[in-house]
Amino acid sequence: MELVHLTEKEYNEFQCQYRYNTFLNSIDTYHLEQSLGFECDLVGLKKDGKIVCACFMIRYPMMKCFHYYYAPRGILIDYENKELLSVFTKKLKKYIRKKRGVQLIIDPYILYQERDADGKVVENGFNHQNVLDNLTSVGWIHQGFSTGYHSNMQTIRWMYAMNLDGYTKDSLWKALHQQTRWSINRTMKYKMQIKELSIDELDVFVDIMNQTGQRRGFETRNLEFYKCQMEAYKERLKCKLAYIDTSLLIQSLEKEKEEIEKEMKEVNEKLLEIPNSKKFNKKRKVLLEAIETNEKRMKEASDLQKNYGDIIPMAASMFIYDRDEVIYLTSGAYEQFRDFYASYAIQWNVICEALSMGYKRYNFYGISGIFDPEDESYGVYAFKKGFPGQVEELIGDFDLVCRPILYKLNYKRKK
């Protein structure tokens, strides 16, 4: 078996039928990286003219004259076939060294061990220690079982995901955490609208992300990057915006007021006939409270319209519709509208859409893997845990060292 360059068609056909395929090792990501200016390689091994394993690698500059390679979500191979793994590893190492590469980093889309919603290891659950052992035995260096968010990790190692099989919209609603249901209900009261943004409307998404990044201290991408993403993934990528139409909200509240006043008139008429009726006196009290609430919300809606206009963007999120799962990639929200819980409206909208389209999984994606309520990252996990699912621990990053001296120098520099 020889290492050969693969055509885009060859790679795409092999990747599509591969067990651990994901959008990150797809031909769409290959096109995205190229559009961002990075050189990429599609290589594989063939046996009797048939591809038996493949790899999509991105080259990144390193120490001026060299570079390192990264294979998003790992090489496409049967990790339990140690003989094939050994052959492919040796040939990749030789190829990368020849191309002035220092190392190859992989982060296979393989779960390490089964965990529950609380992050605890499931007794007698699955365990893929054998995959880790096979990789290290043929020369790969495991970067450890990390937690938290690290700049030197290529992608996330911990996820929170929800299996949709067997759920209907009603049964899923009942399975939500009480606080999550309350938050979604609140967005409904404000007539929160969800819109899918086109490529020409991404500026509002970028603005929301920039403000969120400044507030939370993470780096954000520019408009050009998100446009490249949308062009690469096409209909697989969707950007959702949650907003309030204040005119629509005010109309709804005016109609609500009319209905309450009509009901109050009927109750008052009954009380003229039966002044001591406990039933109608109680109902009158409830209606008085409803009128007071309506007036408060009407003032709030009027103030929103006065201060921000008819259409008020509040939060935005980006999703990938991939194979049998929908993946929640990233999101942001304006701080001044946090009490409207707009992000919950987006999540519920996309989850219901995934259910109706027959997707089997809804992947909330990255969490830190730290389950201490006192940790600063816990809020993200708590938000996602409001939906019924489980923590998923990926097997982690591995380095294939092709130039040991330069690798050690760079490793020290990262430390």
Side-chain angles (χ1 to χ4, degrees):
M1 292 184 288
E2 291 298 322
L3 189 74
V4 297
H5 285 278
L6 302 176
T7 65
E8 290 185 23
K9 183 174 183 294
E10 285 178 320
Y11 178 83
N12 185 51
E13 289 176 352
F14 186 80
Q15 190 267 350
C16 285
Q17 55 82 41
Y18 176 66
R19 179 181 176 187
Y20 301 115
N21 76 35
T22 179
F23 78 99
L24 284 170
N25 53 34
S26 70
I27 202 68
D28 290 341
T29 301
Y30 170 80
H31 292 148
L32 171 62
E33 294 296 330
Q34 286 188 320
S35 71
L36 295 172
F38 295 106
E39 293 185 56
C40 303
D41 296 85
L42 300 175
V43 297
L45 290 181
K46 286 185 178 180
K47 184 177 181 180
D48 300 326
K50 184 179 179 181
I51 301 170
V52 292
C53 54
C55 185
F56 150 44
M57 299 184 293
I58 309 164
R59 297 186 220 175
Y60 295 107
M62 182 178 181
M63 295 184 290
K64 294 184 180 180
C65 300
F66 296 90
H67 48 261
Y68 73 91
Y69 282 79
Y70 168 51
R73 286 307 185 201
I75 54 181
L76 310 189
I77 196 170
D78 178 1
Y79 287 94
E80 295 184 6
N81 187 335
K82 191 173 176 181
E83 182 181 353
L84 182 61
L85 188 60
S86 177
V87 172
F88 197 32
T89 298
K90 289 175 183 176
K91 291 185 180 294
L92 281 174
K93 190 172 183 178
K94 183 178 179 181
Y95 175 87
I96 291 167
R97 183 176 175 83
K98 186 177 179 181
K99 296 284 186 177
R100 299 184 67 81
V102 174
Q103 69 189 103
L104 168 62
I105 301 171
I106 63 171
D107 49 4
Y109 200 49
I110 298 172
L111 300 184
Y112 177 58
Q113 57 188 341
E114 190 171 358
R115 292 181 180 267
D116 61 19
D118 296 320
K120 296 177 181 176
V121 176
V122 175
E123 189 176 352
N124 298 321
F126 65 75
N127 185 295
H128 291 138
Q129 178 66 38
N130 64 319
V131 171
L132 192 155
D133 292 340
N134 285 348
L135 280 164
T136 55
S137 70
V138 298
W140 295 85
I141 301 172
H142 187 231
Q143 295 304 301
F145 297 108
S146 63
T147 57
Y149 304 109
H150 302 286
S151 60
N152 63 328
M153 298 297 289
Q154 292 298 319
T155 52
I156 59 167
R157 200 178 87 79
W158 295 86
M159 305 185 296
Y160 187 85
M162 177 170 60
N163 295 321
L164 297 176
D165 269 353
Y167 276 118
T168 62
K169 183 178 177 180
D170 289 341
S171 64
L172 182 55
W173 176 258
K174 292 175 183 177
L176 300 178
H177 188 278
Q178 184 179 357
Q179 178 63 38
T180 300
R181 284 200 302 272
W182 181 89
S183 301
I184 296 170
N185 273 326
R186 183 168 171 80
T187 70
M188 292 176 180
K189 287 179 182 177
Y190 282 97
K191 304 298 178 185
M192 191 77 67
Q193 306 291 302
I194 306 297
K195 175 184 179 180
E196 186 175 332
L197 297 177
S198 70
I199 194 168
D200 297 322
E201 298 172 310
L202 286 177
D203 55 331
V204 64
F205 172 73
V206 173
D207 186 67
I208 291 173
M209 290 301 297
N210 285 341
Q211 290 204 30
T212 305
Q214 289 171 13
R215 187 173 72 250
R216 295 184 180 174
F218 64 80
E219 289 186 20
T220 57
R221 303 281 195 165
N222 59 27
L223 178 61
E224 190 59 34
F225 172 82
Y226 291 116
K227 283 186 174 182
C228 287
Q229 260 197 325
M230 194 165 276
E231 288 169 349
Y233 295 118
K234 302 179 177 65
E235 68 280 355
R236 296 172 69 191
L237 185 143
K238 294 185 181 182
C239 188
K240 302 269 189 168
L241 174 72
Y243 68 95
I244 285 180
D245 182 331
T246 54
S247 296
L248 183 66
L249 176 58
I250 289 170
Q251 288 175 19
S252 173
L253 290 170
E254 287 172 344
K255 184 179 179 181
E256 181 186 85
K257 182 181 178 182
E258 289 175 4
E259 291 172 352
I260 295 171
E261 288 176 342
K262 181 181 178 183
E263 197 171 353
M264 179 64 88
K265 183 180 178 182
E266 293 172 356
V267 168
N268 286 335
E269 288 173 354
K270 289 290 183 181
L271 284 171
L272 287 173
E273 298 173 12
I274 322 170
N276 297 321
S277 169
K278 289 183 179 181
K279 174 184 175 182
F280 289 111
N281 274 300
K282 185 179 180 181
K283 195 168 185 180
R284 186 175 185 277
K285 184 179 179 181
V286 170
L287 289 170
L288 285 170
E289 291 174 354
I291 289 171
E292 185 180 354
T293 300
N294 178 271
E295 287 174 350
K296 287 180 180 178
R297 293 184 63 209
M298 181 66 81
K299 183 181 184 307
E300 185 180 27
S302 297
D303 288 345
L304 281 171
Q305 188 177 54
K306 180 181 177 181
N307 295 326
Y308 300 103
D310 286 338
I311 304 298
I312 309 175
M314 294 191 170
S317 304
M318 194 166 275
F319 303 85
I320 282 282
Y321 291 65
D322 185 44
R323 290 196 304 162
D324 60 353
E325 69 175 348
V326 174
I327 302 173
Y328 163 41
L329 289 180
T330 188
S331 68
Y334 287 128
E335 175 70 8
Q336 64 266 40
F337 303 123
R338 64 185 181 279
D339 292 338
F340 291 91
Y341 298 91
S343 295
Y344 283 94
I346 296 175
Q347 292 297 328
W348 185 241
N349 173 270
V350 177
I351 287 168
C352 291
E353 184 179 67
L355 268 174
S356 67
M357 294 172 71
Y359 282 91
K360 296 179 181 180
R361 269 168 54 89
Y362 186 85
N363 192 341
F364 287 92
Y365 221 36
I367 57 175
S368 68
I370 300 171
F371 307 106
D372 178 2
E374 299 300 317
D375 188 83
E376 62 180 2
S377 68
Y378 190 81
V380 173
Y381 164 62
F383 167 75
K384 296 176 180 183
K385 193 186 175 185
F387 299 84
Q390 66 283 333
V391 170
E392 296 186 341
E393 179 189 10
L394 289 159
I395 202 163
D397 283 16
F398 295 80
D399 287 359
L400 179 63
V401 180
C402 306
R403 292 176 180 269
I405 295 175
L406 293 178
Y407 176 80
K408 287 178 181 178
L409 285 172
N410 187 61
Y411 186 76
K412 287 179 181 178
R413 197 173 297 175
K414 285 194 293 184
K415 286 286 186 180

